[in-house]
Amino acid sequence: MSPSARDILVLGAGMVGVCVAWHLRRRGHRVTLVDRGAPGRETSFGNAGIIQREAVRPYRFPRDLPTLLRVLPNREIDIRYRPSGMAGAMGPLFHYWRHSAPQNYAHIVPAYAALITRALDTHDEMIRAAGADHLIRQDGYLKVFRTARALDAECHQAEQNAAGYGVTYRVLDRAALARKEPDLSKGGLAGAVHWTQPWTVTDPGALVAAYADHFQQQGGHLVRGTLETLTRTGHGWRAMVDGEALDAEQVVLALGPWSAPWLARQGLRVPQFVKRGYHMHYSSRDGAQLHHWIMDAETGYLLAPMRAGIRLTTGAELAPQDDPPHLQQLDAAEAAARRLFPLGDRLDPHPWMGARPCTPDMKPVIGPAPGLPGLWLAFGHGHQGFTLGPVTGKLLGQMMDGEDTDVDMTPYGADRF
């Protein structure tokens, strides 16, 4: 053990928290990972399972009038909202809209891309160490389009991303798409963009669990229990977990959508809103096979051939995090997906629901908590927590050990708010 090793608590066992704990343990620190459930059972369990090297541009708030008018009736598949959710997050959503203006967004993209472009290499290191290669496919995914206009727009954006950020892709016309996915509906599709760099994961929760298992094999500790209080002590921090005191010199808050409320208890407020999402697994009919992850871009859902069946994931729902599930969005996505691919029966007893923690400027919060010595932050990754977990862990480890970081971390600091 290094003489500079420290006792560190990492709160949160989703993809981000597990990766932070893994990297800190790799650096020789005494690390305890704390969560109420098994690693990878929250949002990391339920996502689309894509390590999105192509996603160098974060999701913007729609600003054009046609899109706003389309979304307003609240019947779309790609996005739905609850009035209570909109009202409760009015401030962060307004700033999200403001940051999505072209001139502001242009400054955000390079900082966002600096993380995304490192996603594959940092995942690869952990995948190899954890022996999780059997969960990984390296053949990209298909983003299919119903109109030539939308396909052309995507191709134009792809050209820019290729030139600026090394993104690779292929354009598939209707015939080429049919050769790759013969069981997709033959009508109604203009073609697809095949993003060739992303890796896909046949069981996202299992990948997080594999990372957590390797963390423990290397001497890290996992504590399952409910976080009750988090307080500063004379020499560090104390977390009360199911009545047990856990003391450490430093704490990393990586609780996903629960991070901002816990941080507010320390007197530091970071604006956050959540986008909820749903999934369900299905069989297929008549021997049909899905060979790639398929995003139905203009409709707003994704199909993924996973170990548990064909997973359908919905778009975003703006709603209070603790609201009961509203399953109309999933039902609408299922109806559209059945017209694209011959889905069979539902395989899960109940739909899964999770929440993505989002910040108004679309960038995660990574770094020290201002005015709270020994408290570090790693949350707010929006749609890309699964993709960005390993690079977040690597960069935060560099910061906590006082090293030069691989990228400028100023854009991700909590003091920007």
Side-chain angles (χ1 to χ4, degrees), residues 9 13 30 46 64 70 78 86 94 98 170 207 211 244-245 264 267 282 299 313 319 322 327-328 351 357 377:
L9 290 177
R30 297 177 293 271
D64 60 290
R70 176 179 67 83
D78 56 344
M86 298 289 283
F94 169 74
R98 184 172 60 84
R170 298 189 186 98
L207 181 63
Y211 290 169
E244 178 184 359
Y282 301 82
T299 308
T313 63
D322 297 326
L327 300 180
Q328 296 90 339
L377 309 175

Side-chain angles (χ1 to χ4, degrees), residues 12-35:
M15 176 63 87
V16 174
V18 167
C19 293
V20 169
W22 188 92
H23 274 279
L24 291 173
R25 178 61 200 143
R26 194 82 154 182
R27 290 173 161 271
H29 299 295
R30 297 177 293 271
V31 184
T32 300
L33 179 63
V34 181
D35 202 57

Side-chain angles (χ1 to χ4, degrees), residues 56-57 113 117 158-167:
V56 294
R57 299 176 187 272
T117 53
E159 290 176 5
Q160 293 182 321
N161 293 346
Y165 301 105
V167 172

Side-chain angles (χ1 to χ4, degrees), residues 111-415:
Y112 193 83
L115 302 180
I116 289 288
T117 53
R118 290 166 170 81
L120 290 183
D121 289 341
T122 50
H123 265 285
D124 186 52
E125 177 188 10
M126 295 185 66
I127 289 165
R128 292 175 183 273
D133 306 71
H134 62 288
L135 298 171
I136 309 300
R137 291 176 47 174
Q138 298 185 17
D139 52 0
Y141 76 95
L142 306 182
K143 195 170 184 180
V144 302
F145 292 88
R146 297 172 180 275
T147 66
R149 181 179 180 181
L151 177 59
D152 289 344
E154 185 76 2
C155 292
H156 176 69
Q157 186 68 78
E159 290 176 5
Q160 293 182 321
N161 293 346
Y165 301 105
V167 172
T168 64
Y169 67 98
R170 298 189 186 98
V171 180
L172 307 178
D173 61 17
R174 185 180 289 109
L177 175 59
R179 288 192 295 271
K180 277 195 173 293
E181 291 291 348
D183 289 321
L184 291 185
S185 172
K186 299 299 184 293
L189 294 178
V193 171
H194 179 190
W195 299 107
T196 56
Q197 287 164 308
W199 295 355
T200 51
V201 183
T202 58
D203 188 335
L207 181 63
V208 180
Y211 290 169
D213 288 345
H214 189 256
F215 160 75
Q216 293 177 83
Q217 292 165 17
Q218 301 304 304
H221 299 284
L222 175 65
V223 173
R224 291 182 60 177
T226 300
L227 178 64
E228 296 167 343
T229 61
L230 178 64
T231 55
R232 295 180 66 182
T233 63
H235 59 280
W237 290 83
R238 170 170 291 178
M240 294 298 298
V241 179
D242 285 349
E244 178 184 359
L246 301 177
D247 293 312
E249 298 166 65
Q250 297 181 319
V251 173
V252 180
L253 193 61
L255 286 166
W258 297 275
S259 297
W262 273 102
L263 191 57
R265 298 186 187 188
Q266 303 299 325
L268 181 60
R269 298 193 178 275
V270 169
Q272 177 184 276
F273 61 98
V274 298
K275 295 180 183 179
R276 303 200 310 183
Y278 302 86
H279 88 219
M280 172 58 69
H281 291 101
Y282 301 82
S283 62
S284 62
R285 291 189 289 105
D286 304 323
Q289 293 186 8
L290 194 66
H291 300 285
H292 298 80
W293 273 239
I294 303 290
M295 180 181 291
D296 189 346
E298 292 168 271
T299 308
Y301 65 89
L302 184 140
L303 294 176
M306 294 193 176
R307 294 202 302 191
I310 296 174
R311 176 177 293 186
L312 184 155
T313 63
T314 68
E317 180 191 42
L318 294 170
Q321 184 176 337
D322 297 326
D323 254 20
H326 304 284
L327 300 180
Q328 296 90 339
Q329 187 179 23
L330 176 64
D331 294 340
E334 178 184 319
R338 289 186 181 280
R339 294 190 291 270
L340 180 69
F341 181 84
L343 293 176
D345 295 332
R346 289 188 172 191
L347 300 178
D348 303 325
H350 305 287
W352 175 91
M353 182 183 75
R356 310 175 185 100
C358 303
T359 63
D361 65 359
M362 295 159 270
K363 295 174 296 187
V365 180
I366 307 171
L372 297 167
L375 181 62
W376 298 81
L377 309 175
F379 66 91
H381 293 74
H383 292 260
Q384 299 297 351
F386 189 77
T387 292
L388 295 178
V391 68
T392 297
K394 182 177 182 180
L395 292 170
L396 192 63
Q398 292 172 344
M399 295 183 78
M400 294 176 71
D401 282 350
E403 299 175 3
D404 292 336
T405 53
D406 293 345
V407 301
D408 177 15
M409 298 303 291
T410 306
Y412 322 109
D415 54 0

